[in-house]
Each structure stands twice: as structure tokens, then as C-alpha cells.
Amino acid sequence: MSDSSQTEQDTLEAIRNGNGQAWGQFIDEYQGRLLRFARTRVAQHADAEDVVQETFASFVKALDRIQVTVSLETYLFGILRHEIVNRFRSQTTRTVCLIQDIYGAESSDAPINALDRQAACDPSVSWCVCHDEQQALQERTLAQALTRLVANFKRSENLRDLKIAELLFYCKLRNKDAAQLLALNPGLVRVVKHRCLKQIRAHVLQRRQAGDMTFSCSENVLTRIWESHRLSCPKRSTLGAFLLENLPVEWFDYVDFHLATVGCHFCRASFKDLQERQDSQQQESFRQRVMNSTIGFFSKP
Ligand SMILES: [Zn+2]
């Protein structure tokens, strides 16, 4: 377990044990970014506050059942998004990034259908409508496959292909739109997509040989998993380093792409919250400096 997930587990335990101070700190920690996210999704400020309040309430109600397989931030964003989509059933509240609002819904199913098509060529894999009891297992397997895919891109610093995969699977753009945005040849985008699907499928087949499943892939499931795990979203600490311009140039470029070109609503909300905190810290430390340098004046007899 990493240090950050251990800290999150400790926080969760403290809240479960009814530690009011831990709960207060938890709200302080997350309310800024959640409110920022809600404000970009709903028109009225009061509605944004309502859904964030509801998110914390839902979190408390589910405390005993929460198994954090993603970060607490991602978990909270997941509840919040669900609250917003349920309450304001418009198309725009469903999108997770700005670029989807620009390119619209016409690009909707392209990558998923491609996965179906590729699998359909191989009769050894059955892609049928799945039973409920299999769904969780299948989604876990796909989540592992996608997590591994993204981790490989990051480890090898193949950020070009990570951007391609993100535009196709997270933003659901068509090949030609992704190619145009990245100023790449559409043929190259097709090849990268094919490679991604092949890796995902290889992982699924491996699991299947281990013995346990007839695999199926419903419409949009890859995108849903990518969204709910925020697979390509930079960590909060990386956003902080970006804010301080303290990242290697290729990673700085990637985070900039994720925030500005993709326009990930989750990360933009988190980033704006960081900016605000930095501004208020700077103001406070400036205030302290002024106080310290002038305090002698007031203590003079
Ligand atoms: Zn993001």
C-alpha cells in the first residue's frame, strides 16, 4: 500500500470511529474541489452547494460499505457526478471533459464498437450480454487491463500514445478528430488504437484461461471504467507540481494537455482549488511578513 493510500485508509478509519475532528478536516480538504466541479456542471450556485452537501451526506451513509479501490477524491467525485446526473438529467451534466462539449455526442460509440468488432473476429471469445453476477468480475478485469495499459504508457513515458488513448477512450473522440487535435496522421491513431485494444484483449484472455469467465463487453463500458477510475488523471500532487512549474517538460506538457485540451472537469476543479489555496497561503504569509516587520512600531513606549 502506498503512503497516500495508507493515509486515506487512516482517515477513513478515523471517520468511521466517529472522530469529529477528522471529519471536519476531511470536509475542509475536499469541499473546495467538489464545489468547483459542481459549479461547472450546474447553473445555480445554490444547486452546486446542495449537491456537494448531498455528496458528503451520501458518503457518511455509505461509510461502512466503502471499499476504496480508487482515491477518496475520485470516490467523492464519483458520488457527486452521480448526484448531478440524477438531479439534472441533461446531456451536458454527463460529460467529463470540455472537449466532449465541443465535439458533441456524434462520436459516441466508436472505440467501444471497435473493441466489439475486434473480439468478434475471434470465436474463442464470447462477447454476449452478461449476467449481473458476472458483471462486477468482468469490469474488474477490464479495469485491471486499462490500468496496466495506462501504467505502461507512463512508465515508458510514451505520452503521445497516452494522449491518443485518452482522447479515444476517455473523451470518446473519433480517430480523425483525435488525429487532428494532436496533429498526427489518422493512420497512426488507428494503429495505436488497435494496439491498445489488442493489449486489453490479451489481458482478458489471460484471465479467462485462468479459468473463470465468459467475457462480455457492453456498450460504453470501457469509457465508463476510464471515467470512474480517472485512469489518466494526474495525481493531486502532480497538479501541485504543475502549478509550481516544477515538472519535467514532457510531463508539464501532458498535464497542460489534460487540463486545457481535454479539459477534464475533475482535474480542472482540483487545480483551481489548489490555485485558490496557494493564493490564500501567499496572502497569509505576506500578511505575516508585514505584521512581523511592523510589530515593533506598536510595542514602542
Ligand atoms: Zn482528469
Side-chain angles (χ1 to χ4, degrees), residues 96 166 170 230 232-234 258-259 262 264-268:
V96 290
E166 181 165 70
Y170 185 48
R230 296 177 58 214
S232 52
C233 289
H258 188 76
L259 291 172
V262 168
C264 172
H265 288 306
F266 304 115
C267 291
R268 286 169 71 88

Side-chain angles (χ1 to χ4, degrees), residues 48 98 151 201 203 261 268:
L98 287 172
R201 190 162 153 264
H203 181 88
T261 305
R268 286 169 71 88

Side-chain angles (χ1 to χ4, degrees), residues 14-15 37 66 107 114-115 120 145 149 175 225 235 250 252 256 264 284:
I15 296 170
F37 179 84
I66 293 173
S107 60
L115 183 63
L149 183 77
N175 289 3
I225 290 168
K235 287 183 191 149
E250 60 276 18
F252 188 90
D256 187 50
C264 172
E284 177 54 27

